[in-house]
Amino acid sequence: MLEIEEVSIRFGHNPEVVSDATFTVNDGDRLAVIGETGSGKSVLLLAALGLLPASARITGSIRLNGRELLGCRERELSQIRGKEIAYIPQGSGNGLNPLYTVGRQLCETIRKHRPCTRKEALLQAAALLESFGLEHGEDLCRSYPFQLSGGMRQRVLIAMGIAAGAELVLADEPTKGLDRRRITLVEDAFHRLGERTLLCVTHDLRFAKAISSRVIVMYASQQIESGDSRSFFEEPLHPYSRAMLEALPEHGLHANMGFAPPRQDQDARSDCHFYDRCPWRSERCRNAPPMLAVGERKVRCWKYAD
Amino acid sequence: MGFVGLGKRLLEAVFIVFCIITINFLLIRFMPGDPVVHIIGEDEYLRLEAEAPEVIEEVRREYGLDKPLPIQYMTYLNKTLHLDFGNSYRTKLPVLETVLFRMRWTLLLTIPAIVLSSLLGGWLGLRAGWRKGGLLDSIVSPIMLFLNTIPTNCMAILFLMVFAFRMGLFPIGGITSGGLSGLEKAVDILWHMALPLMILVILRTASYYMLMRSTVQAIRNEEYITVAQGKGFSQGQVLRRHALKNALCPYLTSVCMQFGHILGGSMLVEVVFSWKGMGTLIYDAVNAKDFPILQTCFLFIGICVVGFNLLADVLNMLIDPRLREEGRHA
């Protein structure tokens, strides 16, 4: 169980990139955090891993199975990373070191947390790759990252993330830069994660729909909506969520609200973060709305206050 | 290992050396004026031209300059292959011996300089680049940047004035005081080496440092570094396992390029400290229009540059599997 409570993050004296994020990922949950680039979702993931640069200032609390991670010593964190929390990077980047074979990088992860011989680790690695639908695991172990396709690399990275047996998987835009067919393969790999708890940050709505059981939407550093995946995709509550789902290509090629203008002097403003773009805005939106409960779901919009 | 790619590179290298030899030959032939002028000197040439033109013809025959160009070229190639570079115009001594003798002294200076500075600059740059904005980075980087902007000869003269002339800690110039032997001589040479070596090490360390620092900074932002940290490796482990090897490719290439210049690259320092190495040899030969010496020096320097570039290619292929693959398809 990962509990994130009132977490705010800023770099130096810049405006907050994440403000007051509060949510819990229960064991077995598959939570997708949706938001556009720059909405602060990736930063939140790195904060949970303790991998933000020194210039980041974090307040609040991030607890893994009741244990506080913020302010934890580097040594303790490195015991948790890989072993209890798996990290899966973006699909487009080079998450695999170009100079080492796939097998070597997988073994490195396995042997870091469970001492065993290289041979044993290699067998495990091959089996693990095969369990993710990658054929010829042993051959794959001998190849270098540049010899694999983008979709294969990403599936290798997913396997590598959980190689040391982590039960909580943090994925950072795992489909970024992949085409539709490759994304389907990655979706398949995520389904093979089984009972593991998943926290996946993405701006790919279809991917989020395919893999998640719960959804959180972030906009301009804030959480603006959360709820179970099915009802969210059937009927989004927040005007931003609605606009986002309407903009999917299957609803025709139009962005009915235009593109996001940069939000200026955020710290000085007290209105709703979505005020400038909202089609439903009214006088009371000049005051920032709190998270309001709508049944089992939550949304940050005054429209649901009554 | 991509042997095909390697073979191709090797052939390329041989071809380039051949080109250097040819250009070396043509350069002198196409210079304005009669080559004999350069051989016997302008004053002598004018005197002989007026008094005894047959002597000039004799010199021409002696040096084979009366034959057609292709034949001269073949003779030149043949002699080069047999390492016969003729005699110096100035000292009349065999060129090869002179150059090899001077080369020893230059190598004595440049090899330790490159080894020391590449290790020191690389290590410091690695540390500073890994922790951008950290203590080491903020203190050392401005200093290195400043050192990087100082021209070699400027620093050499400054050091000479302060440490040798004013403070008298080191000799003003030369290689050895003479009249010594055995251990005493070795110590004396080291003492004479100290200042020029120091300057070479300082300047090269600065440039290696800047290179390594920017390389490591770029690598630190790579995704696989975050992934490696996510696996639970400590900063030091990630640096050693994943950053170092990736930084090594561009760094080794640069160090090898520097090694290519081990013969001619220290000329300014050599001249300032009257270190009788290849640098001063070239400098004196230019002043004296001593072409056989110059040709041979250029050839050796050229071979050195080509050879170490080849070495850089091979090292990179050993490190980076992508380059091996490229060679295989070539």
Side-chain angles (χ1 to χ4, degrees), chain A residues 219 261-264 269 271-278 281:
Chain A
Y219 180 78
R263 198 176 149 83
Q264 304 285 331
R269 291 171 66 164
D271 55 356
C272 171
H273 283 190
F274 195 55
Y275 184 80
D276 296 334
R277 295 170 73 190
C278 188
R281 68 175 168 229

Side-chain angles (χ1 to χ4, degrees), chain B residues 67-315:
Chain B
K67 303 203 179 71
L69 213 58
I71 302 224
Q72 283 186 40
Y73 180 54
M74 291 318 289
T75 324
Y76 173 77
L77 275 187
N78 188 33
K79 284 192 165 176
T80 305
L81 282 180
H82 291 92
L83 296 178
D84 175 6
F85 300 103
N87 292 335
S88 158
Y89 290 168
R90 198 162 51 108
T91 60
K92 311 294 177 211
L93 292 170
V95 169
L96 187 65
E97 275 173 38
T98 313
V99 173
L100 286 180
F101 179 75
R102 293 298 199 94
M103 204 195 284
R104 284 202 336 230
W105 293 114
T106 293
L107 292 179
L108 184 68
L109 205 57
T110 48
I111 290 181
I114 294 182
V115 170
L116 284 176
S117 57
S118 59
L119 290 178
L120 188 65
W123 187 76
L124 285 173
L126 193 71
R127 293 273 145 196
W130 189 248
R131 291 200 185 279
K132 191 185 174 192
L135 192 64
L136 184 74
D137 189 26
S138 6
I139 294 175
V140 179
S141 293
I143 299 175
M144 291 296 184
L145 193 63
F146 173 69
L147 288 175
N148 228 358
T149 59
I150 306 178
T152 316
N153 50 346
C154 183
M155 188 181 213
I157 290 170
L158 204 73
F159 269 48
L160 193 66
M161 257 175 59
V162 176
F163 295 110
F165 187 66
R166 285 279 165 77
M167 297 168 78
L169 292 174
F170 298 99
I172 298 281
I175 293 175
T176 161
S177 312
L180 299 166
S181 61
L183 190 65
E184 273 186 329
K185 191 180 175 190
V187 172
D188 187 56
I189 291 175
L190 278 179
W191 186 50
H192 280 78
M193 260 172 76
L195 269 188
L197 184 64
M198 210 143 68
I199 290 163
L200 289 174
V201 168
I202 289 173
L203 291 175
R204 295 223 165 120
T205 300
S207 63
Y208 285 138
Y209 172 85
M210 299 312 280
L211 175 77
M212 190 51 133
R213 175 172 163 267
S214 63
T215 310
V216 172
Q217 271 177 9
I219 286 171
R220 200 170 187 341
N221 293 329
E222 292 282 356
E223 194 99 67
Y224 54 78
I225 297 296
T226 316
V227 170
Q229 289 170 337
K231 288 175 179 178
F233 288 111
S234 70
Q235 293 280 334
Q237 284 172 320
V238 175
L239 179 69
R240 280 192 301 277
R241 280 167 181 257
H242 290 275
L244 183 62
K245 203 173 171 191
N246 276 286
L248 225 50
C249 264
Y251 192 68
L252 276 180
T253 306
S254 169
V255 172
C256 279
M257 301 276 251
Q258 286 283 341
F259 255 106
H261 297 143
I262 49 177
L263 296 182
S266 58
M267 189 166 107
L268 288 171
V269 171
E270 283 188 18
V271 170
V272 172
F273 287 94
S274 32
W275 186 266
K276 294 292 174 198
M278 261 181 89
T280 36
L281 183 66
I282 295 172
Y283 186 81
D284 293 340
V286 168
N287 285 335
K289 296 207 175 74
D290 195 343
F291 293 109
I293 294 270
L294 278 180
Q295 272 184 322
T296 313
C297 286
F298 291 157
L299 179 65
F300 278 32
I301 290 171
I303 290 174
C304 229
V305 172
V306 173
F308 278 103
N309 266 306
L310 188 69
L311 181 68
D313 283 344
V314 173
L315 287 177

Side-chain angles (χ1 to χ4, degrees), chain A residues 127-134 155 158-159 162 188-190 192-193:
Chain A
L128 186 65
L129 289 174
E130 280 170 11
S131 78
F132 276 91
L134 293 156
R155 281 182 289 166
I158 295 168
I162 61 152
D188 173 62
F190 268 87
R192 289 172 194 258
L193 285 173

Side-chain angles (χ1 to χ4, degrees), chain A residues 129-150:
Chain A
L129 289 174
E130 280 170 11
S131 78
F132 276 91
L134 293 156
E135 286 166 13
H136 311 297
E138 278 180 46
D139 291 340
L140 197 56
C141 278
R142 275 192 290 273
S143 36
Y144 286 97
F146 75 96
Q147 293 165 321
L148 311 182
S149 70

Side-chain angles (χ1 to χ4, degrees), chain A residues 46 51 74 78 81-82 85 87 89-90 93-100 105 108-109 112-113 144 146-147 157 160, chain B residues 222-224 226-235 237 240-243 245-246 249 319-322 324-325 328:
Chain A
L46 290 177
L51 288 180
E74 186 61 31
S78 60
R81 291 184 204 133
I85 309 180
Y87 172 70
Q90 294 184 351
N94 47 346
L96 291 165
N97 188 334
L99 302 185
Y100 297 130
Q105 299 187 51
E108 169 184 86
T109 320
K112 168 75 177 86
H113 298 285
Y144 286 97
F146 75 96
Q147 293 165 321
L157 280 167
M160 198 162 84
Chain B
E222 292 282 356
E223 194 99 67
Y224 54 78
T226 316
V227 170
Q229 289 170 337
K231 288 175 179 178
F233 288 111
S234 70
Q235 293 280 334
Q237 284 172 320
R240 280 192 301 277
R241 280 167 181 257
H242 290 275
K245 203 173 171 191
N246 276 286
C249 264
I319 295 174
D320 195 333
R322 287 167 295 186
R324 291 204 289 275
E325 191 73 0
R328 207 166 284 153

